[in-house]
Amino acid sequence: GAGVSQTPSNKVTEKGKYVELRCDPISGHTALYWYRQSLGQGPEFLIYFQGTGAADDSGLPNDRFFAVRPEGSVSTLKIQRTERGDSAVYLCASGPAGNTGELFFGEGSRLTVL
Amino acid sequence: AQTVTQSQPEMSVQEAETVTLSCTYDTSESDYYLFWYKQPPSRQMILVIRQEAYKQQNATENRFSVNFQKAAKSFSLKISDSQLGDAAMYFCAYSGANSKLTFGKGITLSVRP
């Protein structure tokens, strides 16, 4: 597609459930990032992929959070045993090879944990 | 670690007037990029303007320009001839050698007709 696509747009789940959030980056972009944005705050870095491998996962808050990018394109963010504090908008961004710094963002997945 | 600070939570501007949004950052790197992103209610972050640290000339994109003061670690955004469509949250962001964007807390800009 022309832009970064994220699904679902909105997800409501119950505390303790497992959720998956999907990101389809711009074709050809090797870099892929996940961010989490709480209400009224700036996005916070979670994890960065360069190709298939996680180059930096230092932002993942705990071991309930995991992300994969098995073929170097689509990525899935997985959250186990969700907690109410996980409620936020999860943003995905992709960028071309080489560090120009510019990222292209999707519209995010809003996760609500009841 | 790099930090980005936006100390103004909200600003308001009259349509057609000029407004300046402030941002400061802290880093020990000499080569990096600075950005201003706009986030409307649709949630999608849209790049407004980019500045490479090695360039002394301030970036300009149509009605948007920056005042980049490297020694002071300051990076403000000026919006000229403000339009109703400029109303949004604006985020200042930094990217260095580790290739990840670090964002400030953002500022909500409202435009009065």
Side-chain angles (χ1 to χ4, degrees):
Chain A
V4 177
S5 176
Q6 290 189 247
T7 55
S9 179
N10 289 283
K11 175 71 176 178
V12 180
T13 191
E14 293 179 344
K15 181 175 178 293
K17 298 290 188 182
Y18 169 83
V19 298
E20 289 189 351
L21 307 175
R22 174 189 168 107
C23 173
D24 198 343
I26 292 173
S27 178
H29 280 186
T30 58
L32 186 146
Y33 298 75
W34 284 98
Y35 284 82
R36 180 168 71 174
Q37 186 176 21
S38 300
L39 189 63
Q41 300 295 316
E44 295 177 307
F45 169 79
L46 294 177
I47 187 170
Y48 156 49
F49 288 90
Q50 187 61 254
T52 60
D56 185 345
D57 66 356
S58 61
L60 295 177
N62 52 59
D63 61 5
R64 296 186 299 105
F65 288 75
F66 190 71
V68 295
R69 195 186 186 197
E71 298 179 357
S73 178
V74 171
S75 176
T76 304
L77 178 65
K78 307 180 180 191
I79 310 174
Q80 298 177 322
R81 304 183 304 281
T82 52
E83 300 177 356
R84 292 192 180 87
D86 299 335
S87 297
V89 174
Y90 290 82
L91 296 170
C92 178
S94 69
N99 181 23
T100 65
E102 180 179 353
L103 298 182
F104 298 81
F105 284 81
E107 293 188 353
S109 293
R110 181 182 298 280
L111 175 65
T112 302
V113 182
L114 301 177
Chain B
Q2 293 79 28
T3 59
V4 177
T5 302
Q6 294 179 253
S7 56
Q8 308 157 302
E10 298 178 350
M11 284 199 76
S12 180
V13 62
Q14 189 74 35
E15 193 176 7
E17 297 294 311
T18 295
V19 64
T20 298
L21 310 183
S22 301
C23 174
T24 59
Y25 60 95
D26 191 22
T27 184
S28 58
E29 296 178 314
S30 58
D31 193 17
Y32 50 87
Y33 297 88
L34 294 165
F35 305 84
W36 279 97
Y37 277 87
K38 172 184 178 181
Q39 188 178 41
S42 69
R43 302 195 305 240
Q44 186 173 25
M45 289 278 193
I46 302 166
L47 179 66
V48 174
I49 198 164
R50 179 178 77 171
Q51 175 80 43
E52 292 94 335
Y54 66 86
K55 290 187 176 178
Q56 292 186 340
Q57 186 173 7
N58 289 324
T60 298
E61 288 286 342
N62 300 314
R63 298 183 295 108
F64 299 87
S65 62
V66 299
N67 184 2
F68 174 46
Q69 301 290 328
K70 190 172 184 178
K73 295 190 173 73
S74 170
F75 183 62
S76 61
L77 174 70
K78 185 172 80 170
I79 305 174
S80 304
D81 185 25
S82 297
Q83 300 176 0
L84 296 178
D86 294 334
M89 280 203 77
Y90 286 81
F91 292 93
C92 179
Y94 170 102
S95 176
N98 63 10
S99 302
K100 68 185 183 190
L101 281 174
T102 299
F103 288 88
K105 288 189 175 182
I107 179 171
T108 300
L109 177 67
S110 58
V111 181
R112 305 186 302 274

